[in-house]
């Protein structure tokens, strides 16, 4: 038999749950980015929003806030191709589609697909590959719609715990799913995945939820517990605080990437695959940090 106190708690939860489902307020994201190119010893943002071969965007539309990160595949440099051009062009194209309203908030795969096919049809030759992650907050429904292709990704943190996250997609060790444009005649040789292969999800967010979207340069160098420790520094939802915390996370990941004695998540994964690896993983690092807040014009 339920006690009066237990019954009261159940009623309170039901009432609060109903209120959260009928919350008529629009939500938005307060977002900031920070990162490092692996060739630099301090944060340097190249033209556009690029850190090394990584690229990102933050776009606002009346229906949604949209974030994206892409990690250009560095191996193209061996063939005289700048890997940053593919990732940067992909993210700029996705950003433009959002700002023009040519997207559906519930379908981030559609944003990625449209952006990629625009690149395929581009009259200016473009070669390269990249991973990609798109995160969309629908203002009215309070739902986070996401797609992730490869080993970039996102975390949703609530109350100091990870409550939702992306799934990494790897063909095999250190070979993530990726979008590609190959030279003529080499289409069957270059690894290339369809944007529709991206892992997608939807998740109900709450005011105060923290969303961290990043390339693998972060996740390969910082395990969840370290990231959560840094996120405790985010005390308010103002932009300066979000930016400062994003900087702190990126800087710690960058420092660990060059520590030869640190057993990084990447090194641990390598050991699990039979490789004798130790230390951090020098890589481009891009961090987009967001907090869910009430929308204001």
């Amino acid at each position: 038999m339920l006690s009066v106190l237990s019954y009261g708690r159940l009623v309170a939860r039901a009432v609060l749950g109903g209120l959260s489902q009928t919350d008529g307020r629009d939500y938005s994201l307060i977002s900031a980015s920070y990162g490092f190119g692996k060739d630099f010893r301090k944060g340097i943002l190249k033209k556009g929003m690029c850190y090394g071969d990584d690229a990102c965007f933050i776009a606002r539309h009346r229906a949604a806030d949209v974030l994206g990160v892409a990690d250009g595949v560095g191996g193209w440099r061996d063939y005289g191709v700048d890997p940053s051009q593919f990732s940067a062009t992909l993210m700029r194209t996705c950003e433009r589609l959002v700002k023009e309203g040519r997207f559906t908030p519930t379908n981030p795969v559609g944003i990625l697909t449209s952006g990629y096919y625009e690149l395929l049809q581009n009259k200016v030759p473009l070669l390269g590959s990249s991973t990609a992650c798109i995160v969309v907050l629908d203002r009215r429904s309070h739902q986070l719609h996401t797609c992730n292709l490869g080993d970039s990704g996102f975390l949703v943190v609530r109350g100091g715990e990870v409550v939702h996250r992306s799934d990494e997609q790897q063909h095999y060790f250190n070979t993530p799913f990726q979008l590609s444009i190959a030279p003529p005649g080499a289409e069957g040789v270059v690894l290339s995945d369809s944007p529709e292969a991206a892992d997608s999800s939807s998740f109900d967010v709450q005011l105060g939820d923290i969303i961290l979207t990043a390339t693998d340069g972060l996740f390969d160098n910082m395990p969840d517990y370290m990231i959560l420790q840094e996120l405790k520094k985010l005390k308010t939802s103002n932009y300066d605080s979000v930016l400062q915390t994003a900087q702190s996370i990126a800087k710690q990941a960058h420092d660990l990437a060059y520590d030869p004695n640190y057993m990084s998540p990447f090194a641990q994964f390598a050991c699990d695959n039979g490789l004798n690896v130790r230390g951090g993983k020098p890589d481009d690092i891009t961090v987009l940090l967001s907090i869910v807040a009430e929308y204001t014009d």
Side-chain angles (χ1 to χ4, degrees), residues 112-133:
L112 186 60
T113 300
S114 296
Y116 175 57
Y117 284 119
E118 274 204 25
L119 267 60
L120 289 175
Q121 298 164 7
N122 200 330
K123 295 179 181 179
V124 179
L126 178 69
L127 302 177
S129 308
S130 81
T131 64
C133 181

Side-chain angles (χ1 to χ4, degrees), residues 37 41 58 69 73 114 134 154 177 185 190 234 266 276 294 296:
R41 299 303 297 178
I58 299 171
V69 296
V73 176
S114 296
I134 304 285
F154 68 89
F177 282 34
V190 174
L234 184 56
F266 177 80
N276 185 17
E294 185 175 354
T296 56

Side-chain angles (χ1 to χ4, degrees), residues 155-164 203 205-211 227-229 231-232 234 291:
L155 304 175
V156 180
V157 177
R158 179 184 302 159
E161 297 182 355
V162 176
V163 293
H164 183 54
F203 183 77
V205 296
Q206 299 177 8
L207 293 174
D209 281 357
I210 298 169
I211 301 164
I227 295 173
L228 293 174
Q229 194 69 31
L231 288 176
K232 290 180 181 179
L234 184 56
I291 189 165

Side-chain angles (χ1 to χ4, degrees), residues 195-209:
E196 288 88 353
D199 180 71
S200 60
S201 70
S202 296
F203 183 77
D204 292 323
V205 296
Q206 299 177 8
L207 293 174
D209 281 357

Side-chain angles (χ1 to χ4, degrees), residues 174-248:
N174 207 27
T175 306
F177 282 34
Q178 54 201 263
L179 302 176
S180 300
I181 298 179
E187 289 83 0
V189 179
V190 174
L191 181 63
S192 184
D193 297 286
S194 166
E196 288 88 353
D199 180 71
S200 60
S201 70
S202 296
F203 183 77
D204 292 323
V205 296
Q206 299 177 8
L207 293 174
D209 281 357
I210 298 169
I211 301 164
L212 184 147
T213 311
T215 55
D216 67 322
L218 172 68
F219 299 118
D220 282 344
N221 286 298
M222 286 184 70
D224 282 2
Y225 79 89
M226 284 190 184
I227 295 173
L228 293 174
Q229 194 69 31
E230 289 298 308
L231 288 176
K232 290 180 181 179
K233 299 176 181 178
L234 184 56
K235 302 298 184 182
T236 68
S237 60
N238 65 68
Y239 172 79
D240 289 341
S241 179
V242 174
L243 176 59
Q244 185 176 13
T245 306
Q247 290 174 334
S248 179

Side-chain angles (χ1 to χ4, degrees), residues 26-225:
D26 284 0
Y27 287 2
S28 68
L29 295 178
I30 298 172
S31 303
S33 72
Y34 201 81
F36 293 87
K38 63 183 176 184
D39 296 328
F40 302 102
R41 299 303 297 178
K42 62 179 180 178
I44 296 179
L45 182 64
K46 293 165 60 176
K47 186 177 180 181
M49 291 183 69
C50 302
Y51 303 95
D53 298 333
D54 288 356
C56 63
F57 75 90
I58 299 171
R60 294 172 66 85
H61 184 268
R62 63 179 180 275
D65 283 321
V66 185
L67 313 171
V69 296
D71 180 359
V73 176
W76 283 94
R77 192 170 282 107
D78 296 336
Y79 301 94
V81 175
D82 180 354
S84 70
Q85 292 299 310
F86 186 92
S87 55
T89 306
L90 178 64
M91 291 293 94
R92 284 198 303 267
T93 304
C94 291
E95 179 181 16
R96 176 175 51 76
L97 292 171
V98 171
K99 290 183 175 179
E100 292 174 354
R102 296 166 56 191
F103 76 106
T104 302
T106 56
N107 185 24
V109 174
I111 301 173
L112 186 60
T113 300
S114 296
Y116 175 57
Y117 284 119
E118 274 204 25
L119 267 60
L120 289 175
Q121 298 164 7
N122 200 330
K123 295 179 181 179
V124 179
L126 178 69
L127 302 177
S129 308
S130 81
T131 64
C133 181
I134 304 285
V135 173
V136 182
L137 173 67
D138 188 317
R139 297 196 193 284
R140 299 307 303 273
S141 72
H142 309 158
Q143 279 198 317
L144 197 71
H145 303 285
T146 65
C147 73
N148 185 59
L149 185 82
D151 57 2
S152 294
F154 68 89
L155 304 175
V156 180
V157 177
R158 179 184 302 159
E161 297 182 355
V162 176
V163 293
H164 183 54
R165 71 182 309 147
S166 56
D167 289 326
E168 186 175 292
Q169 295 178 310
Q170 295 265 8
H171 288 286
Y172 42 88
F173 174 68
N174 207 27
T175 306
F177 282 34
Q178 54 201 263
L179 302 176
S180 300
I181 298 179
E187 289 83 0
V189 179
V190 174
L191 181 63
S192 184
D193 297 286
S194 166
E196 288 88 353
D199 180 71
S200 60
S201 70
S202 296
F203 183 77
D204 292 323
V205 296
Q206 299 177 8
L207 293 174
D209 281 357
I210 298 169
I211 301 164
L212 184 147
T213 311
T215 55
D216 67 322
L218 172 68
F219 299 118
D220 282 344
N221 286 298
M222 286 184 70
D224 282 2
Y225 79 89

